[in-house]
Amino acid sequence: MNRFIGYYRVSTDKQGESGLGLQSQKDTINTYVNNKNGMLIKEFREIESGKVNDRPMLTQAMEACRLYGATLLIAKLDRLSRDAVFLMNLQRGDVPFIAVDMPDANSMTIGIMALLAQQEREMISQRTKDALSVLKANGKRLGGRRKKSHNFTHDDIEKATLARNEKESAYRARVIPVIRELRDTGLSYRKICNHLHELGIKTYHKKENWYPNVVRNLLLSR
């Protein structure tokens, strides 16, 4: 059965309180899930401008997709973002998504949209540079001396190690609460393994089969 995580976004607090636009998104997503004979595991709602890319609820929705092996489902593609950087990150990410209004959209589609958005940003940047050039030509001093940056191999290693640790910590933060909840019901480690498999939750190394010692070690690590 196809698993989905629903994500809804409204732009203002007033819209969020009134449900304006929210219900139509929910109806669109529920209709899609039903037509696919799928399962809507969780839903996330966010009140945020489309120009802002730092959205905690969207981050949680994507984390839930990773946890349950689900697909991120949105009613309209513009519910995510019109920003080039965000679209490129989505394109390169590991979370599959479907926009109901563009169900056939793929990485190429998103890439083209991102390039168009980036082109607009570059045009704005060029206009800014032209304006600064005029100011400089008129004798106005701009900026100051900048120190030359240096990159060292050990810094790269530290960054890579930090990124790996952060990825592992993020995984543990998603999975351990689920395991602890199952354990609190009195289930054995082996039965917990069976439940994790049924939920579609994979191990850190993307394996579908769990083992009791892996579950036990995760619980003891916190």
Side-chain angles (χ1 to χ4, degrees):
M1 178 177 289
N2 295 322
R3 301 163 181 266
F4 298 103
I5 299 293
Y7 174 75
Y8 317 110
R9 185 183 67 78
V10 290
S11 300
T12 65
D13 290 327
K14 186 176 181 180
Q15 286 181 334
E17 294 171 359
S18 66
L20 181 63
L22 178 61
Q23 189 59 49
S24 63
Q25 293 179 55
K26 292 174 71 70
D27 291 343
T28 299
I29 283 180
N30 284 326
T31 299
Y32 182 89
V33 172
N34 290 334
N35 289 338
K36 295 295 183 179
N37 293 321
M39 177 189 299
L40 189 60
I41 300 176
K42 287 190 176 184
E43 299 173 279
F44 294 85
R45 184 184 70 170
E46 192 136 52
I47 301 174
E48 186 57 85
S49 167
K51 297 179 181 179
V52 178
N53 291 327
D54 183 17
R55 288 186 236 137
M57 297 309 295
L58 178 57
T59 299
Q60 290 184 32
M62 296 178 76
E63 287 293 319
C65 288
R66 296 186 182 99
L67 176 61
Y68 292 100
T71 297
L72 182 67
L73 192 59
I74 55 176
K76 297 179 64 178
L77 190 56
D78 65 5
R79 289 295 91 186
L80 284 178
S81 180
R82 300 181 182 91
D83 185 87
V85 174
F86 184 86
L87 288 171
M88 291 301 291
N89 287 336
L90 183 66
Q91 179 196 26
R92 298 167 181 168
D94 59 344
V95 174
F97 74 94
I98 293 176
V100 177
D101 63 330
M102 296 179 63
D104 295 325
N106 52 31
S107 296
M108 181 178 294
T109 306
I110 301 303
I112 293 173
M113 294 179 67
L115 290 174
L116 292 175
Q118 182 63 30
Q119 183 180 34
E120 176 61 23
R121 291 168 65 92
E122 290 175 355
M123 290 173 62
I124 294 174
S125 176
Q126 186 58 50
R127 288 195 291 269
T128 302
K129 290 179 181 179
D130 292 343
L132 292 175
S133 296
V134 172
L135 292 175
K136 185 176 181 180
N138 290 334
K140 183 175 180 59
R141 185 176 181 181
L142 304 174
R145 295 188 62 185
R146 298 181 179 179
K147 294 182 179 180
K148 185 178 180 180
S149 61
H150 298 277
N151 296 321
F152 301 96
T153 303
H154 71 272
D155 288 340
D156 294 335
I157 295 176
E158 289 180 358
K159 290 178 181 179
T161 302
L162 179 61
R164 184 173 61 251
N165 291 340
E166 289 179 347
K167 182 179 179 181
E168 185 173 354
S169 296
Y171 173 80
R172 290 174 180 272
R174 293 194 301 267
V175 174
I176 290 178
V178 178
I179 294 177
R180 183 180 293 115
E181 184 177 346
L182 292 172
R183 183 63 172 172
D184 289 342
T185 63
L187 293 179
S188 66
Y189 290 129
R190 185 167 297 280
K191 288 186 177 180
I192 291 176
C193 292
N194 294 335
H195 277 276
L196 292 175
H197 179 74
E198 292 173 358
L199 290 171
I201 299 176
K202 297 182 179 180
T203 68
Y204 178 72
H205 298 290
K206 306 297 182 182
K207 303 294 184 181
E208 294 184 357
N209 293 327
W210 286 80
Y211 296 96
N213 63 312
V214 174
V215 172
R216 182 178 62 253
N217 290 338
L218 280 171
L219 285 178
L220 294 177
S221 66
R222 291 293 292 266

